[in-house]
């Protein structure tokens, strides 16, 4: 088995209900389980469709079954489908060595929509994340996904981006196999395109740091 | 005088039991609505200033501004307000007969205004059994249906606001001093809106000393075991009469005025205006002769309407005696004095009454982090 | 084919806790499974219905009926499973008490899913106390593999004891995923026949009933003793750590993983031992006493109530151990908080205090000094874009305010419970259990005698109506109470993922089934009924006003509009919604941004820079209701084909 950068490796995938981050954490989890790792995914999704924040803790180990909750300040990587959710996660789980992949498209909470609260500027968010992490990538995954045909593909683009960072032993073949085992054949093509787009944005260094 | 908003209106006037349900604040926005004779705040609104507050005759009336805006003349603190002429009046020979309390002057004026094209529609207060019901009328028959005094407060001004919001202009309006004061303030465009249009073609005020609370009066009737739907008409004669007269199927029922007065809206006690100061024309009873009305002509367009109504034979006017004017002035002066004393007693003259309020909503859940 | 039905023993797959429970039940060869949806338990019945045609699965009308349906199968000789979230156990408790006494025939397991921390509940109830109260055995899986194994073994245990067996899971296990190695799938003989002609007390051939109580209760006690005996050697109770630890953690369920992880993280493997109990009730004496004899300090790590803590203390009091040589830490000593779910941090805090550890340097220095985070707006949960409940509550609130007599609304359980939040205009003023809104309204509606003249409204969803709003409605009509029930009928059990209910023309497996018409049911009860489309604000408000101002009695307004996320509506839009930038006056309008500030659908956006409302094209569900809310007609809707 390939050795992990850290054992256990703690990955957080965060976003807002309806962005599909549960699917993306399951895909990544399945890919790593297929490689023989012990994987635990902890998630809260009772109210996820109702605009709440959703956070999945994906934990990978070659040794033991881990708990579904990452202890505070122990995340190795944060993959975020929504900018302020990144901040929320870093505040509790970040540490000086953490990496961040962040979709720059905001989804405004009700308090912001109703004008009671304000949403930090993209610049402020980027600067803060950069200061709070060891390495970071930013891109508008929602725009890329919309171009493919549906904003929901942002979650798979993020998975592709994560693979491209080489933080975890993820590769396209396992992704394709996992896709085929979980999705009907007509859904495989677009998901692969999304994955490749995610890989591409990291490898061509088009994501801002 | 400071322009405040719905928070102050809601806490000082609506919850402070000063509201006389005139309706001037309602149906201007999605929040304040008139329903069942009362004003309701449907959702909370936190604007710092609002037309609702400006329109309320209880939050303070800027007589200087109104006098300039409506009559282009400085406010002189005359108890009868600014006027050009005072007549005794009643309907003319060409007018159709209706069930009038006095001379039928108001109906005659509204019919004249409609027939002569001075206005397209009029906002009047009709009746739904004993309860007043604001309505829009366009024909003489409808005008006559709305004749006869109402003793229960009604948010008629809200009906005008709604018509104006829906784009109506050239509207006639007949209303009590509180209703007409609110609408007059709105006609000065207090928030300086760029899309403002004065909806009012003619404003006719009614003399008023007080109005009953609909709720209070109904519960009194309930105590007296009187079915409100069985009441055909109600008459409250001026002093020294001691009883109100209710005409029921089985005959006339008398109710002591002392008991009825207990159901007067508390907000009426602070109203200084008896003759509806901020109108084109004001009409009331003529104490000396119940067949006739007192007609105060305040504005140029009011005067024009009177002249056209007389020419058309719809209205008859005669000079009024100085004694009548003196009596009216005395009554108006007394109401004003009593009102100012009541305002002082309730702290409404205190500058703090004009300060903005900061009310923290009791129920907020700031989400889940 | 689902991996849950793969007959390849030894294969390892990533499974959700609830899927592992399903696999365990399949490996036990169950024939019948019944339940009522409730987070975090719903996936169990849902998955069984999807993957297996050999078994009968049923979304029952409520948990008590589900337990009865499952019990009937057991009585007829088939292994059966009943599934519910914790509050459902309360509903089923009456039958459970009698079932525990009467006993069962074929293996019968009740899976109860608790929600410590109330992550998706309106209470933080504990099922474990029921094991003690009902006097039945209980198992608590501590990881994903155990969820499969324990569920499977629970059926054997049930048959050995002729008793229903409780398997208690929690959200963090049911909704988490982990590696599970598959066991063998059996090919059971599924022949149902109810034997009843044997001896009164013969568990296999006699009639099945709770009396004679004296004899049955006595035999129940014996069965529990037998269970405790079996638990003594159970592989589900494990110990790891030094022979004589400085501190012994006694834990169970998913708390075992937190304990192990924190002990490793703090490098305490040489000082702290962990005794994990899987067979929680009746508590096996030997494995516990054996460990207690080798330590002086004990920390209990469990959620939510001090269940094992109390059981161990009782055990020690009656044992040969010297009580003065032991110190217990846990909920009673407040080293573990008494409410809320367990977290690694809570274990860390307790261990740090007890073992006087240095604070973790990372938590101290992060975020690094001088890095101020901007204020992060909280993400309040609210109704989804296009949710019919938002429109319904907009109307209910409007009507109650217009009416001006301080009318109020009694809430109930479902997505619409969020009517208590700003997104629901704070409309709900009471919120308790399933059906309680109607029961409370029935009571409030009788208080006119004591001077109460506030109009009373209750809400309930379509599924909740069948679950438990019908009895209070009958009660209200018969007792001449006076209130308006608004049935928020969104055509499914939306909160938990669109499980069908008796009002729909499909059954649990999606096959055709006779629907029961809510309006007809209410009319048959003697209530006055009307149906409106909540998206038609004007008609809904008019009808509601008429009901509230009426002459009293029980009135039912059914607001019928499918959930925006329902399979038939999802990804479709009825209207294309746009904002006419020339008509929207922004702050100058006087509307005070009623669309975004009050109605606050996530499909709308307030563009402060341009002082205008806009539509969020990604989120807008095209219901078009906001167009009726805008007083300026600036929000416009165009019907889509």
């Amino acid at each position: 088995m390939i050795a992990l950068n850290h054992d256990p490796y703690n990955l957080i995938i965060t976003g807002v209900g309806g962005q599909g981050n549960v699917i993306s954490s399951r895909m990544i989890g399945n890919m790593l389980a297929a490689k023989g790792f012990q994987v635990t995914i902890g998630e809260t999704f009772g109210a996820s469709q109702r605009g709440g924040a959703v956070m999945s803790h994906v934990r990978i180990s070659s040794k033991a079954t881990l708990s579904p909750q990452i202890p505070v300040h122990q995340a190795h990587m944060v993959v975020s489908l929504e900018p302020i959710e990144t901040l929320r996660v870093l505040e509790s789980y970040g540490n000086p060595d953490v990496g961040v992949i962040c979709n720059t498209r905001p989804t405004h909470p009700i308090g912001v929509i109703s004008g009671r609260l304000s949403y930090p500027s993209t610049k402020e968010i980027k600067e803060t994340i950069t200061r709070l992490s060891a390495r970071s990538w930013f891109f508008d995954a929602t725009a890329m996904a919309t171009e493919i045909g549906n904003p929901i593909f942002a979650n798979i683009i993020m998975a592709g981006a994560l693979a491209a960072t080489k933080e975890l032993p993820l590769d396209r073949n396992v992704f394709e196999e996992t896709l085929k085992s979980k999705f009907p054949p007509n859904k495989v093509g677009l998901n692969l395109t999304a994955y490749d787009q995610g890989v591409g944005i990291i490898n061509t260094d088009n994501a801002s740091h | 005088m400071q322009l405040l908003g719905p928070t102050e209106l809601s806490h000082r006037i609506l919850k402070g039991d000063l509201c006389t349900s005139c309706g001037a604040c309602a149906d201007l926005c999605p929040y304040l609505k008139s329903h069942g004779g009362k004003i309701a705040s449907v959702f909370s609104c936190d604007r710092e200033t609002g037309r609702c507050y400006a329109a309320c005759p209880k939050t303070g009336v800027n007589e200087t501004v109104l006098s300039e805006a409506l009559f282009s003349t400085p406010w002189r603190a005359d108890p009868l307000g600014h006027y050009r002429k005072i007549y005794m009046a009643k309907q003319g020979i060409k007018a159709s007969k209706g069930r009038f309390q006095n001379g039928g002057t108001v109906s005659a004026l509204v019919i004249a205004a409609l027939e002569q094209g001075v206005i397209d529609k009029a906002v009047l207060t009709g009746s739904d059994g004993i309860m007043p019901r604001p309505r829009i009328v366009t024909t003489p028959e409808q005008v006559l249906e709305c004749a006869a005094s109402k003793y229960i407060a009604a948010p008629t001004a809200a009906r005008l606001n709604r018509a104006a919001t829906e784009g109506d202009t050239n509207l006639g309006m007949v209303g009590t001093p509180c209703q007409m004061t609110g609408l007059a303030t709105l006609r000065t465009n207090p928030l300086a809106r760029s899309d403002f249009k004065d909806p009012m073609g003619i404003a006719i005020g009614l003399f008023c000393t007080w109005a009953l609370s609909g709720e209070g009066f109904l519960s009194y009737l309930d105590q007296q075991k009187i079915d409100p739907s069985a009441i055909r008409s109600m008459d409250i004669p001026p002093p020294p009469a001691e009883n109100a007269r209710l005409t029921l199927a089985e005959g006339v029922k008398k109710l002591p005025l002392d008991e009825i007065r207990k159901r007067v809206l508390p907000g009426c006690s602070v109203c200084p205006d008896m003759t509806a100061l901020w109108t084109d024309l004001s009409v009331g009873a003529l104490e000396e002769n119940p067949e006739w009305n007192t007609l105060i002509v305040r504005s140029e367009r009011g005067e024009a309407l009177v002249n056209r109504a007389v020419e058309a034979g719809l209205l008859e006017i005669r000079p009024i005696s100085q004694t009548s004017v003196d009596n009216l002035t005395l009554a108006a002066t007394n109401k004003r004095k009593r009102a100012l004393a009541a305002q002082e007693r309730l702290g409404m003259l205190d500058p703090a009454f004009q300060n903005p309020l900061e009310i923290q909503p009791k129920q907020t859940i700031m989400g889940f982090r | 084919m689902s991996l849950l039905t793969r007959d390849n023993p030894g294969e390892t797959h990533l499974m959700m806790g609830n899927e592992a429970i399903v696999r365990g039940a399949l490996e036990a060869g169950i024939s019948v499974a019944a339940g009522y949806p409730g987070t975090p338990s719903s996936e169990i019945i849902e998955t069984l219905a999807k993957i297996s045609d050999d078994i009968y699965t049923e979304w029952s009308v409520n948990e008590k009926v589900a337990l009865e349906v499952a019990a009937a199968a057991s009585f007829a000789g088939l292994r059966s499973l009943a599934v519910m979230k914790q509050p459902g156990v309360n509903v089923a408790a009456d039958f459970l008490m009698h079932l525990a006494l009467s006993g069962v025939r074929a293996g019968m397991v009740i899976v109860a899913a608790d929600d410590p921390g109330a992550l998706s509940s309106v209470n933080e109830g504990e099922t474990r106390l029921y094991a003690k109260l009902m006097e039945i055995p209980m198992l608590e899986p501590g990881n994903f593999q155990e969820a499969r194994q324990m569920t499977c073994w629970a059926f054997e245990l049930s048959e050995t004891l002729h008793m229903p067996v409780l398997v208690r899971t929690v959200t963090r296990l049911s909704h988490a995923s982990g590696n599970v190695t598959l066991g063998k799938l059996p090919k059971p003989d599924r022949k149902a026949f109810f034997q009843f002609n044997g001896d009164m007390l013969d568990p296999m051939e006699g009639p099945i009933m709770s009396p004679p109580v004296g004899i049955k209760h006595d035999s129940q006690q014996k069965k529990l003793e037998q269970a405790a005996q079996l638990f003594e050697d159970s592989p589900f109770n494990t110990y790891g750590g030094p022979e004589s630890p400085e501190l012994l953690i006694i834990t169970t369920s998913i708390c075992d993983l937190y304990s192990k992880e924190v002990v490793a993280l703090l490098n305490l493997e040489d000082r702290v031992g962990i005794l994990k109990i899987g067979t929680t009730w009746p508590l096996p004496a030997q494995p516990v006493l054996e460990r207690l004899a080798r330590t002086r300090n004990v920390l209990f790590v469990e959620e939510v109530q001090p269940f094992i803590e109390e059981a161990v203390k009782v055990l020690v009091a009656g044992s040969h151990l010297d009580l003065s040589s032991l110190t217990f830490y846990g909920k009673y000593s407040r080293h573990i908080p008494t409410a809320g779910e367990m977290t690694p941090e809570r274990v860390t805090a307790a261990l740090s205090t007890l073992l006087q550890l240095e604070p973790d340097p990372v938590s101290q220095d992060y975020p690094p000094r001088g890095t101020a985070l901007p204020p992060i707006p909280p993400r309040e949960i609210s109704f989804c874009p296009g949710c019919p409940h938002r429109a319904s509550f907009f109307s209910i609130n409007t009507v109650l305010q217009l009416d001006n007599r301080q009318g109020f609304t009694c809430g109930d359980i479902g997505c619409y419970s969020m009517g208590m939040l700003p997104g629901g205009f704070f409309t709900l003023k009471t919120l308790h259990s399933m059906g309680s809104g109607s029961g409370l309204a029935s009571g409030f509606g009788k208080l006119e005698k004591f001077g109460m003249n506030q109009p009373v409204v209750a809400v309930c969803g379509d599924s909740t109506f069948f679950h438990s709003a019908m009895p209070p409605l009958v009660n209200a009509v018969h007792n001449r109470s006076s209130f308006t029930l608004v049935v928020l009928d969104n055509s499914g059990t939306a909160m938990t993922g669109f499980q069908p209910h008796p009002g729909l023309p499909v059954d649990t497996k999606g096959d055709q089934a006779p629907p029961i018409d809510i309006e007809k049911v209410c009319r048959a009860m003697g209530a006055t009924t009307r149906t409106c489309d909540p998206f038609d604000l004007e008609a809904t408000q008019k009808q509601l006003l008429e009901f509230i101002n009426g002459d009293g009695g029980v009135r039912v307004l059914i607001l019928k509009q499918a959930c925006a996320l329902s399979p038939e509506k999802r990804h479709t839009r009825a209207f294309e919604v746009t904002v006419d930038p020339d008509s929207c006056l922004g702050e100058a309008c006087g509307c005070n941004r009623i669309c975004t500030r009050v109605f606050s659908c996530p499909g709308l956006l307030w563009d402060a820079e341009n002082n205008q409302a806009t539509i969020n094209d990604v989120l807008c569900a095209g219901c078009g209701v906001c167009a009726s809310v805008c007083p300026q007609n600036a929000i416009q809707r165009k019907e889509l084909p």
Side-chain angles (χ1 to χ4, degrees), chain B residues 29-31 33-35 38-47 51 193 195 363-369, chain C residues 378-381 394 397-398 401-402 404 421-422 425-426 429 545 587-592 594 597-598 631:
Chain B
C29 70
Y31 303 99
K33 307 250 183 207
S34 78
H35 178 78
K38 290 178 79 176
I39 306 304
S41 166
V42 179
F43 292 96
S44 73
C45 172
D46 58 356
R47 280 181 71 103
R51 288 183 291 165
R193 285 173 67 107
D195 61 341
Q363 289 177 337
T364 53
I365 297 169
M366 288 309 291
F368 310 97
R369 293 201 61 173
Chain C
R379 212 168 275 282
E380 298 161 22
I381 53 168
F394 192 83
N397 182 71
T398 299
Q401 297 305 316
L402 277 181
N404 227 335
L421 301 176
F425 322 110
F426 302 114
K429 303 303 183 194
L545 260 179
E587 295 286 6
C589 176
C591 73
N592 198 2
I594 189 162
R597 190 184 64 88
V598 177

Side-chain angles (χ1 to χ4, degrees), chain A residues 19-129:
Chain A
Q19 287 190 314
N21 73 338
V22 170
I23 293 175
S24 124
S25 64
R26 297 258 172 93
M27 286 296 293
I28 293 166
N30 275 304
M31 287 162 74
L32 292 159
K35 292 212 161 189
F37 291 105
Q38 298 258 15
V39 177
T40 299
I41 309 173
E43 50 208 350
T44 337
F45 52 78
S48 62
Q49 288 290 3
R50 287 97 198 157
V54 186
M55 178 167 50
S56 302
H57 289 191
V58 184
R59 318 198 58 196
I60 308 111
S61 169
S62 52
K63 300 175 210 154
T65 304
L66 291 151
S67 89
Q69 293 193 66
I70 297 173
V72 293
H73 300 301
Q74 300 289 333
H76 297 109
M77 179 60 109
V78 176
V79 173
S80 173
L81 284 151
E82 209 283 343
I84 58 164
E85 294 316 314
T86 324
L87 293 178
R88 218 189 299 281
V89 165
L90 285 178
E91 204 178 20
S92 303
Y93 296 96
N95 55 69
D97 299 322
V98 72
V100 171
I101 306 174
C102 178
N103 178 15
T104 52
R105 177 73 63 94
T107 300
H108 288 178
I110 293 292
V112 174
I113 289 175
S114 67
R116 274 182 283 129
L117 304 164
S118 58
Y119 196 97
S121 72
T122 307
K123 183 168 168 283
E124 195 176 3
I125 293 173
K126 270 191 176 181
E127 280 173 10
T128 314
I129 292 172

Side-chain angles (χ1 to χ4, degrees), chain A residues 8 10 15-16 18 25-26 29-30 33 36-47 49-53 59 65-74 82 84-85 87-88 90-91 93-96 98 105 107-120 124-125 128 131-133 142 146 150-151 182, chain C residues 3 12-14 16 39 43 119-120 143-144 171-173 175-179 254 257-258 261-262 265 341-345 360 362-363 366-368 370-384 390 415 418 422-423 494-497 565 570-571 593 596-598 600-606 618-619:
Chain A
N10 296 328
V16 180
S25 64
R26 297 258 172 93
N30 275 304
F37 291 105
Q38 298 258 15
V39 177
T40 299
I41 309 173
E43 50 208 350
T44 337
F45 52 78
Q49 288 290 3
R50 287 97 198 157
R59 318 198 58 196
T65 304
L66 291 151
S67 89
Q69 293 193 66
I70 297 173
V72 293
H73 300 301
Q74 300 289 333
E82 209 283 343
I84 58 164
E85 294 316 314
L87 293 178
R88 218 189 299 281
L90 285 178
E91 204 178 20
Y93 296 96
N95 55 69
V98 72
R105 177 73 63 94
T107 300
H108 288 178
I110 293 292
V112 174
I113 289 175
S114 67
R116 274 182 283 129
L117 304 164
S118 58
Y119 196 97
E124 195 176 3
I125 293 173
T128 314
R131 263 181 284 133
L132 289 179
S133 61
T142 306
T146 310
N150 192 332
K182 303 277 164 195
Chain C
L3 65 90
T12 298
H13 292 280
L14 189 61
M16 217 210 282
T39 314
E43 294 81 7
L119 304 169
S120 189
N143 57 49
F144 309 94
T171 307
R172 294 287 183 191
L173 176 63
H175 275 182
S177 306
N179 295 39
I254 202 82
L257 291 180
Y258 301 139
E261 177 146 357
V262 171
L265 201 66
E341 69 164 331
M342 188 55 60
T343 60
E345 289 64 51
D360 168 29
V362 177
S363 327
Y366 191 90
T371 310
L373 264 68
I376 310 171
R379 212 168 275 282
E380 298 161 22
I381 53 168
S382 183
F383 299 119
C384 304
R390 179 180 294 102
C415 282
M418 289 187 288
M495 183 94 207
T496 47
L565 299 177
R570 199 164 194 171
H571 305 308
R593 299 183 284 109
T596 48
R597 190 184 64 88
V598 177
S600 65
C601 174
L604 292 159
L605 280 173
W606 174 249
V618 174
L619 295 181

Side-chain angles (χ1 to χ4, degrees), chain B residues 54-74:
Chain B
C56 178
K58 301 295 187 287
T59 56
V61 180
N62 195 331
E63 288 144 336
T64 314
V65 168
L66 284 180
S67 192
E68 284 293 345
L70 266 52
F71 311 122
S72 310
T73 173

